[in-house]
Amino acid sequence: MEPANATLLCAPLVAPTVEEMLLQMNKANVSGADLVEIRLDTLSNFMPHEDLKLLLGNRPLPAIVTYRPKWEGGQYEGDDHYRLDTLFMAMELGADYIDVELQVVNDFMSSITRKKPSKSKVIVSSHNYQITPSVEELGDLVARIQATGADIVKISTMAQNITDVARMFHVLVHCQVPIIGLLMGEKGAISRLLCPRFGGYLTYATLEGVIKSAPGQPKLKDMLSIYNIRQLGRDTKIYGLIGNPVGHSKAPILHNETFKSVGFNAIFVLLLVDDVREFLDVYSSPDFAGFSVTIPHKEEALRHCDELDPIAKSIGAINTIIRRPSDGKLVGYNTDCLGAISAIEHEMRGLFSLKGEAESPLAGRLFVVIGAGGAGKAFAYGAKEKGARIIIANRSYDRAKILAGLVGGQAMSLSDLENFRPEEESILANSTSVGMYPDIDGTPISKEALRRYAVVFDAVYTPKDTRLLREAEEVGAVVVSGVEMFLRQAFRQFELFTDSPSNNGLDCLGVFFS
Ligand code: NAP
């Protein structure tokens, strides 16, 4: 398929030896990179003429040569004249690009007494490892870099907040010259993924097994296979998961694959958000078409929606936001409720006696929810709607009491739950994050106490096989995995994102967890 953008994908080569760098170059070539960045400052015992000849003479892809000094975040500590002479030598030996720091570029340009090889392009770079300046300051910086005679402007700044990235997108969109504009750090990751969407000249991505040359750099294989960055164009809609943390989420794998499978022009990214209101205020353009919402923002996000789906309103928490195309209003939904309840019902059907086909297997049964956060509310509300009787057991008893009051149930503390004797055929649903990666040895209830439940459900889905579910299975309960819920809630989100029920169904989503 023809790429939808002209942004280049560059693999930085970070290695102590030329041999290793040559191996990395070939790996970059077969992995689908467009060019490599040779980081000379990472080589030990670097011998400029011999090593550059070897590296540039054997390159399977175009190359940027960078010799980053310590004062600009690199590893080179020696004399700057020697360093700049080496960069000029790289140009003479046929480097496609060289990267020179703004601070010394005037010295570099004026020290070039010989004619600049016309084939080589000069990237003039500026790095700010503390902050991302204002749009005005970024604009001034672009102008200063342009005035040096740069062929390509490069600005790399530190993201202290995901909202900082919006300023760089603004600069990319309005810049008249080729520009690389990226934000470092985990909170700047979307600048690297969405760079082709906003017209950046290139973006960097790390090869498997190679050290990142800057914090927050994504893996090259993920850029191509999960995020399909070649297909990002100005019309591509942006969706993402708002949460903190978000790194563990499999949502991008799932949503991007399903978007691709139905030919929906969209990308789904992880959005590490501290302040939901600020995030929604800053990313208010129609480009950002919808969001999934996770810990700890499900209740806060609801307050910033213009409208709520009735189920979300009753639950008091959302996990999905759609920017309605007709008027730009934010509409909140809760697909966790449907996801969890339908997963449990699906597993119970056929195993428990029902009065009729239409009756929910939850009707009339005792449903014990551990936790009283966003997911807990969704489970309690959903089970109540199906005719179950509800008990809420939570670490903070006060929160348990409030939720129990809302659904007409009973509240208890976690310690009381240990000694509680439920009636036969009761259901236990964990809605806390206890047992979630990396604390996979955690469990919210003892194995002994689990013996008293017929069905045990765990919202945690990383890992799939939680300690709670393993122990529940060992004591003979029917278990329902958080993965089942995840797939079902994501399927409903997919329908809301694409505004069309899909016939791909859960089987299509399920392949990711098989
Ligand atoms: P939340 O709103 O932050 O609520 C967290 C709940 O867990 C609160 O009740 C909290 O108790 C309790 N909790 C946290 N740490 C605890 C600990 N160490 N011991 C005992 N209780 C603890 O989070 P949420 O949005 O409801 O999400 C909760 C979990 O559900 C997460 O693991 C999330 O990944 C999972 N989830 C899964 C799916 C899925 O599709 N499978 C969907 C949604 C959520 P306090 O009130 O005392 O703080």
Side-chain angles (χ1 to χ4, degrees):
M1 205 191 291
E2 277 290 296
N5 62 71
T7 302
L8 300 170
L9 189 52
C10 176
L13 309 180
V14 175
T17 66
V18 168
E19 293 69 31
E20 244 178 275
M21 250 185 207
L22 287 169
L23 284 175
Q24 289 182 7
M25 267 187 205
N26 289 320
K27 199 168 173 181
N29 190 25
V30 295
S31 305
D34 298 307
L35 74 167
V36 292
E37 181 188 36
I38 299 173
R39 284 291 300 263
L40 296 180
D41 52 304
T42 65
L43 286 169
S44 312
N45 308 318
F46 171 51
M47 291 182 294
H49 197 259
E50 293 84 332
D51 290 351
L52 276 171
K53 261 178 92 174
L54 268 175
L55 287 163
L56 292 171
N58 292 292
R59 69 187 193 280
L61 291 171
I64 302 172
V65 175
T66 301
Y67 202 4
R68 192 75 75 223
K70 207 136 197 166
W71 52 260
E72 186 85 346
Q75 297 185 28
Y76 177 79
E77 288 188 278
D79 174 62
D80 251 3
H81 291 295
Y82 176 82
R83 190 174 69 82
L84 297 180
D85 281 350
T86 305
L87 286 175
F88 188 76
M89 188 191 299
M91 288 174 101
E92 288 189 316
L93 290 171
D96 306 87
Y97 304 83
I98 56 149
D99 178 323
V100 188
E101 301 73 27
L102 173 63
Q103 216 169 307
V104 293
V105 72
N106 287 335
D107 291 349
F108 179 74
M109 296 295 196
S110 59
S111 73
I112 300 177
T113 46
R114 295 154 286 180
K115 194 174 168 316
K116 175 188 156 200
S118 59
K119 188 177 163 291
S120 294
K121 291 194 163 76
V122 179
I123 300 172
V124 178
S125 60
S126 165
H127 297 79
N128 185 330
Y129 288 91
Q130 272 77 46
I131 58 155
T132 299
S134 67
V135 168
E136 292 71 28
E137 286 166 314
L138 287 172
D140 288 348
L141 190 54
V142 171
R144 270 175 56 212
I145 294 179
Q146 245 185 296
T148 65
D151 294 304
I152 295 145
V153 172
K154 177 181 171 188
I155 300 177
S156 183
T157 61
M158 183 56 78
Q160 291 187 330
N161 193 311
I162 192 163
T163 51
D164 294 345
V165 184
R167 301 201 286 282
M168 192 64 86
F169 288 153
H170 182 90
V171 171
L172 290 187
V173 167
H174 292 93
C175 192
Q176 303 296 319
V177 292
I179 178 168
I180 304 166
L182 300 168
L183 273 75
M184 296 176 276
E186 209 184 344
K187 290 175 184 167
I190 59 165
S191 70
R192 299 170 184 279
L193 295 172
L194 298 178
C195 161
R197 165 71 173 70
F198 291 98
Y201 185 78
L202 71 75
T203 185
Y204 300 88
T206 315
L207 287 170
E208 205 68 30
V210 174
I211 298 166
K212 290 179 184 187
S213 67
Q217 239 167 43
K219 288 185 186 148
L220 189 125
K221 77 170 178 28
D222 291 350
M223 298 274 264
L224 291 172
S225 64
I226 298 178
Y227 295 100
N228 310 308
I229 64 148
R230 302 288 192 205
Q231 295 314 314
L232 301 188
R234 291 309 302 271
D235 298 337
T236 304
K237 295 255 172 261
I238 302 162
Y239 294 85
L241 173 67
I242 295 176
N244 191 351
V246 286
H248 66 282
S249 174
K250 301 228 187 319
I253 303 178
L254 194 141
H255 283 297
N256 286 310
E257 188 61 31
T258 46
F259 288 163
K260 194 162 69 176
S261 72
V262 298
F264 185 61
N265 184 10
I267 180 171
F268 188 99
V269 294
L270 295 175
L271 302 163
L272 183 58
V273 171
D274 297 317
D275 181 329
V276 187
R277 172 191 281 267
E278 187 190 8
F279 175 85
L280 293 172
D281 282 351
V282 170
Y283 292 97
S284 60
S285 85
D287 297 344
F288 290 81
F291 308 101
S292 303
V293 185
T294 190
I295 314 174
H297 299 314
K298 287 184 176 178
E299 291 164 58
E300 179 63 18
L302 174 140
R303 289 190 260 283
H304 307 301
C305 287
D306 301 302
E307 284 178 27
L308 292 172
D309 172 73
I311 296 174
K313 196 169 181 177
S314 308
I315 295 168
I318 57 166
N319 74 334
T320 311
I321 302 176
I322 303 296
R323 191 184 306 282
R324 197 162 49 204
S326 57
D327 57 7
K329 290 218 179 332
L330 297 178
V331 187
Y333 298 84
N334 190 310
T335 71
D336 282 341
C337 178
L338 179 142
I341 300 300
S342 73
I344 297 169
E345 284 183 326
H346 178 78
E347 208 57 48
M348 287 177 76
R349 272 186 210 286
L351 296 175
F352 295 82
S353 59
L354 301 177
K355 286 199 195 98
E357 273 288 293
E359 191 190 46
S360 165
L362 299 182
R365 293 200 161 86
L366 187 68
F367 193 95
V368 179
V369 181
I370 311 181
K377 280 184 177 164
F379 301 174
Y381 174 85
K384 167 83 181 168
E385 283 295 295
K386 298 288 183 172
R389 284 165 295 116
I390 313 294
I391 290 181
I392 312 289
N394 192 43
R395 180 176 62 179
S396 316
Y397 179 67
D398 286 353
R399 279 184 95 188
K401 249 169 75 179
I402 293 170
L403 179 53
L406 288 174
V407 294
Q410 189 191 329
M412 65 174 64
S413 66
L414 280 183
S415 49
D416 285 346
L417 184 66
E418 278 298 315
N419 304 315
F420 178 62
R421 302 211 156 262
E423 63 201 43
E424 276 190 15
E425 299 194 344
S426 294
I427 301 129
L428 180 77
N430 173 42
S431 77
T432 75
S433 48
V434 179
M436 185 167 94
Y437 180 85
D439 301 317
I440 57 170
D441 291 333
T443 184
I445 183 170
S446 72
K447 188 172 174 181
E448 202 40 49
L450 274 179
R451 287 184 196 284
R452 304 167 202 141
Y453 295 89
V455 179
V456 175
F457 164 75
D458 197 348
V460 174
Y461 66 96
T462 46
K464 181 180 181 186
D465 196 14
T466 59
R467 178 173 162 196
L468 174 68
L469 292 186
R470 279 198 318 273
E471 293 185 345
E473 202 158 29
E474 282 162 20
V475 297
V478 171
V479 298
V480 186
S481 155
V483 169
E484 272 298 317
M485 170 188 170
F486 179 73
L487 294 176
R488 286 166 190 272
Q489 65 76 29
F491 182 55
R492 178 66 192 127
Q493 278 186 339
F494 171 74
E495 292 182 324
L496 291 167
F497 289 159
T498 57
D499 195 24
S500 61
S502 161
N503 50 19
N504 273 7
L506 292 170
D507 293 346
C508 152
L509 303 176
V511 298
F512 302 107
F513 295 91
S514 53

